[in-house]
């Protein structure tokens, strides 16, 4: 059998009912010259039994019953896939039929990586959150245009100016909800010994790929749907489920001995896990100088602010004691931190006020009572058709 043009890759654990619905919707939109590679590390092989009822030759399923870390499960998923290009999805996500047109355009034009400027978001029906009890679909405005990105300049700004914060807004290469040429990602494995490292696969692969990718485009057009089922990380984050003591972070399960990057304070939050993994990726890719130039004080300031609702005392304590870990002068450390806090708070207030005066953003199209992923895909296609938005592949 010839190499598939595209692999859709899912790494899943103990969410078989959601994953099965995702698989069914993906297969409806996936081309014949593609594969759907599923790596399952659940406690049982319930998903395998469900998939047997489909019997689609495009499905490539692997079950590992021994407990794997989050990162190891993604590495195994990558190893099980064979496509010339790949796109990794969560087990509650889906794709649009246009994804194959985009991959063919990439292949014809020797493009190594593509990401969408904005993602379509589908919140599954959730009885625990009143707003989403019947499901909700959110579609940002699209133009169908594309642009090539200067990756080295963007990476420098992300680290030196923003201290890894809001990395997704930079639209860098991404394995998760992006499309990447496999041969480029193979270079990451050759250099580091693995495809994914650190504690979270998405930002590790983004930073690592940005270090070596030459041809990356941002397209203002959707090709995936980011789902949020009731058991998803996105929903947990809405209720403070992604913060606490570092020892409580699920990322360390089955991870073995792990060396935490010293610059990052030891508390569990989205910000600290992302920043730690970003530094890990830079250093494993040989970018030690850039890693040393991280805007640490901006990161520390935002970490305290972003987690003030649930773990304020913990974030403040760990941050204020960081000077000991870094062997820094206490007065100098506190001085720089207080200056950063004053600057970030002041600049934030000014920016917020300026946005109120000048903002003319196009509204997000939102629709409620979306029962499942298939309906979400249909609504996305209807939205694009009614607004005459197409992907310009010239």
């Amino acid at each position: 059998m010839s190499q598939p043009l595209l692999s859709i890759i899912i790494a899943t654990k103990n969410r078989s009912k959601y994953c099965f619905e995702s698989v069914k919707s993906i297969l409806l939109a996936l081309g014949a010259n593609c594969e759907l590679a599923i790596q399952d590390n659940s406690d049982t092989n319930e998903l395998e039994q469900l998939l047997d009822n489909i019997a689609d030759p495009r499905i490539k399923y692997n079950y590992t019953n021994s407990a794997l870390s989050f990162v190891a499960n993604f590495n195994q998923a990558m190893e099980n896939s064979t496509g010339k290009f790949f796109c990794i999805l969560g087990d509650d996500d889906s794709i649009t039929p246009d994804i194959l047109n985009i991959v063919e355009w990439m292949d014809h034009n020797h493009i190594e990586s593509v990401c969408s400027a904005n993602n379509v978001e589908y919140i599954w029906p959730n009885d625990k959150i009143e707003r989403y009890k019947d499901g909700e679909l959110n579609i940002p405005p699209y133009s169908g245009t594309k642009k090539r990105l200067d990756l080295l300049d963007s990476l420098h700004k992300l680290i030196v100016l923003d201290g890894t914060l809001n990395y997704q807004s930079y639209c860098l290469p991404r394995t998760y909800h992006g499309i990447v040429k496999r041969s480029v990602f193979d270079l990451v494995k050759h250099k580091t010994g693995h495809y994914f490292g650190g504690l979270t696969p998405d930002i590790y692969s983004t930073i690592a790929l940005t270090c070596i990718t030459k041809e990356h485009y941002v397209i203002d057009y959707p090709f995936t749907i980011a789902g949020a089922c009731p058991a998803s990380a996105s929903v947990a984050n809405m209720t403070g489920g992604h913060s606490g003591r570092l020892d409580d972070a699920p990322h360390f399960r089955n991870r073995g001995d792990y060396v935490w990057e010293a610059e990052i304070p030891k508390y569990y939050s989205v910000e600290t896990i992302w920043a730690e993994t970003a530094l890990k990726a830079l250093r494993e890719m040989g970018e030690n100088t850039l890693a040393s130039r991280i805007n640490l004080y901006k990161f520390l300031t935002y970490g305290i602010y972003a987690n003030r609702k649930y773990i304020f005392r913990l974030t403040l304590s760990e941050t204020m004691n960081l000077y000991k870990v870094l062997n820094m002068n206490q007065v100098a450390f506190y001085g720089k931190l207080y200056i950063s806090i004053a600057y970030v708070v002041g600049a934030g207030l000014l920016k917020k006020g300026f946005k109120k005066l000048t903002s003319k953003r196009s509204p997000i199209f939102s629709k409620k009572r979306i029962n499942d992923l298939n309906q979400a895909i249909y609504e996305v296609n209807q939205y694009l058709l009614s607004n005459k938005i197409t992907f310009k592949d010239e």
Side-chain angles (χ1 to χ4, degrees):
M1 182 179 176
S2 60
Q3 180 185 26
L5 179 61
L6 172 66
S7 293
I8 301 296
I9 302 173
I10 296 176
T12 186
K13 185 179 179 71
N14 294 336
R15 302 204 313 190
S16 57
K17 84 173 175 179
Y18 301 114
C19 189
F20 184 56
E21 294 303 315
S22 178
V23 166
K24 289 191 293 183
S25 71
I26 290 169
L27 290 174
L28 288 175
L30 198 61
N33 57 338
C34 304
E35 69 176 10
L36 174 54
I38 305 165
Q39 165 60 28
D40 185 7
N41 190 222
S42 301
D43 296 336
T44 71
N45 67 336
E46 177 186 4
L47 178 59
E48 182 177 21
Q49 298 170 24
L50 291 171
L51 294 176
D52 284 342
N53 296 320
I54 298 179
D56 192 305
R58 294 171 296 175
I59 296 177
K60 191 174 184 181
Y61 175 84
N62 184 67
Y63 177 67
T64 305
N65 58 5
S66 57
L68 299 175
S69 70
F70 187 52
V71 169
N73 203 33
F74 272 78
N75 274 312
Q76 189 60 58
M78 193 67 208
E79 296 286 357
N80 294 340
S81 67
T82 59
K84 186 174 183 179
F85 294 86
F86 70 92
C87 172
I88 295 179
L89 298 180
D91 53 14
D92 53 3
D93 301 333
S94 195
I95 60 173
T96 72
D98 285 315
I99 192 169
L100 192 56
N101 296 332
I102 294 169
V103 173
E104 289 172 344
W105 167 76
M106 292 175 66
D107 193 29
H108 180 73
N109 291 281
H110 309 290
I111 295 167
E112 299 170 327
S113 172
V114 153
C115 74
S116 179
N118 293 287
N119 286 331
V120 173
E121 178 187 63
Y122 170 58
I123 299 97
W124 293 49
N126 189 336
D127 292 335
K128 294 181 180 180
I129 303 177
E130 179 64 25
R131 174 179 172 178
Y132 304 124
K133 65 179 183 179
D134 297 316
E136 182 176 301
L137 180 69
N138 296 310
I139 305 175
Y142 291 104
S143 65
T145 58
K146 58 186 180 297
K147 66 175 181 179
R148 185 179 183 274
L149 205 63
D150 184 335
L151 291 181
L152 294 182
D153 178 64
S154 296
L155 182 60
H156 179 274
K157 290 177 180 176
L158 171 64
I159 304 301
V160 179
L161 297 183
D162 280 341
T164 75
L165 297 170
N166 300 316
Y167 85 95
Q168 292 168 321
S169 66
Y170 278 81
C171 294
L172 301 173
R174 62 182 67 152
T175 57
Y176 189 61
H177 285 274
I179 306 171
V180 178
K181 193 171 185 178
R182 185 186 185 94
S183 59
V184 179
F185 206 28
D186 285 341
L187 296 176
V188 172
K189 183 185 178 185
H190 179 75
K191 190 170 184 67
T192 67
H194 42 241
Y195 289 111
F196 301 101
L199 293 172
T200 180
D202 44 4
I203 191 169
Y204 182 91
S205 54
T206 284
I207 299 299
L209 282 167
T210 302
C211 292
I212 59 173
T213 301
K214 305 299 182 186
E215 294 295 325
H216 171 69
Y217 280 75
V218 180
I219 62 173
D220 197 20
Y221 194 81
F223 53 85
T224 66
I225 296 175
C229 71
S232 75
S234 300
V235 171
N237 200 38
M238 294 177 189
T239 55
H242 277 182
S243 60
R245 295 173 59 251
L246 190 61
D247 292 343
D248 297 332
H251 305 72
F252 292 103
R253 293 173 190 163
N254 307 306
R255 194 70 174 87
D257 294 331
Y258 186 83
V259 180
W260 181 264
E261 299 295 321
E263 298 94 328
I264 308 303
K266 291 184 175 181
Y267 61 85
Y268 171 38
S269 71
V270 170
E271 294 76 26
T272 52
I273 295 295
W274 279 359
E276 197 280 336
T277 295
L279 289 181
K280 187 79 70 181
L282 284 172
R283 287 172 174 146
E284 291 188 356
M285 291 298 293
E287 297 291 340
N288 295 299
T289 300
L290 184 56
S292 69
R293 297 185 63 196
I294 181 175
N295 191 332
L296 182 62
Y297 295 96
K298 183 173 183 178
F299 165 77
L300 295 176
T301 299
Y302 186 80
I304 295 171
Y305 178 79
N307 295 283
R308 66 195 184 282
K309 184 175 182 180
Y310 298 105
I311 55 169
F312 176 72
R313 290 184 179 179
L314 177 61
T315 59
L316 193 61
S317 173
E318 291 294 334
T319 300
M320 299 304 277
N321 287 320
L322 195 62
Y323 75 93
K324 300 176 184 178
V325 179
L326 300 178
N327 295 314
M328 293 181 63
N329 177 275
Q330 182 180 9
V331 174
F333 177 79
Y334 284 178
K336 291 180 180 179
L337 181 60
Y338 291 150
I339 290 172
S340 175
I341 291 172
Y343 175 79
V344 169
V345 171
L349 291 173
L350 287 173
K351 188 175 181 181
K352 187 175 181 180
F354 183 74
K355 276 189 173 181
K356 284 184 177 180
L357 293 173
T358 62
S359 180
K360 295 182 179 180
R361 294 181 301 170
S362 299
I364 290 177
F365 173 81
S366 184
K367 188 167 186 177
K368 296 185 181 296
R369 295 185 176 84
I370 306 296
N371 296 318
D372 55 33
L373 283 167
N374 287 336
Q375 186 182 354
I377 294 171
Y378 172 80
E379 294 293 344
V380 171
N381 288 335
Q382 289 299 113
Y383 173 85
L384 295 173
L385 286 171
S386 62
N387 289 279
K388 299 180 180 179
I389 304 169
T390 59
F391 172 64
K392 300 172 176 61
D393 60 357
E394 66 275 358

